[in-house]
Amino acid sequence: MEAVARAVQNNGAFRAICRPLANTWVNLAGYRRLGKYDDLLREETPIIQEAISRLNREETDGRVYRHKRAFQLSLSHQELPSSQWTKPEDDYKYLQPIIEQVTAEQAERDAFNSMKVVSK
């Protein structure tokens, strides 16, 4: 699956065709109408939890606020006014670089822990 994702990212023509479709899909999904960002939708695995713990205070507070607001809107079957929807340029993956860092650290830790000591 990652190979397909890399191929799509590296193919400019295909990306130009898919970008409007992707934006339309995201708008139809309705997450931006609830004020959610992309990284709020992640399932919280141990790696994600570690990445969340590394967020600075401002990002953590914003994340909690967006979760609560989206949950409240969902319960009341309402949406934010269109002026408060998450704009595509504001919908960035703030957690992704930290997730990649934690994943790399975990892989390094696993490699180190699986080493065999050979005495001479």
Side-chain angles (χ1 to χ4, degrees), residues 72-90:
Q72 183 63 36
L73 289 168
S74 179
L75 283 177
S76 61
H77 300 286
Q78 295 178 351
E79 294 179 348
L80 289 171
S82 60
S83 62
Q84 295 181 12
W85 290 1
T86 303
K87 296 170 187 64
E89 57 273 8
D90 293 338

Side-chain angles (χ1 to χ4, degrees), residues 39-107:
D39 283 337
L40 287 179
L41 304 176
R42 297 279 188 137
E43 182 179 333
E44 292 193 13
T45 63
I47 290 177
I48 303 290
Q49 289 176 356
E50 175 64 26
I52 290 170
S53 73
R54 295 183 184 186
L55 289 173
N56 64 36
R57 180 68 179 203
E58 182 180 308
E59 289 175 332
T60 302
D61 291 346
R63 180 181 172 85
V64 170
Y65 174 74
R66 288 188 300 274
H67 266 290
K68 287 182 178 184
R69 181 175 62 175
F71 184 69
Q72 183 63 36
L73 289 168
S74 179
L75 283 177
S76 61
H77 300 286
Q78 295 178 351
E79 294 179 348
L80 289 171
S82 60
S83 62
Q84 295 181 12
W85 290 1
T86 303
K87 296 170 187 64
E89 57 273 8
D90 293 338
D91 191 9
Y92 63 97
K93 298 185 180 215
Y94 63 93
L95 197 57
Q96 187 62 36
I98 302 171
I99 292 171
E100 291 170 0
Q101 180 184 18
V102 171
T103 303
E105 289 172 6
Q106 183 68 36

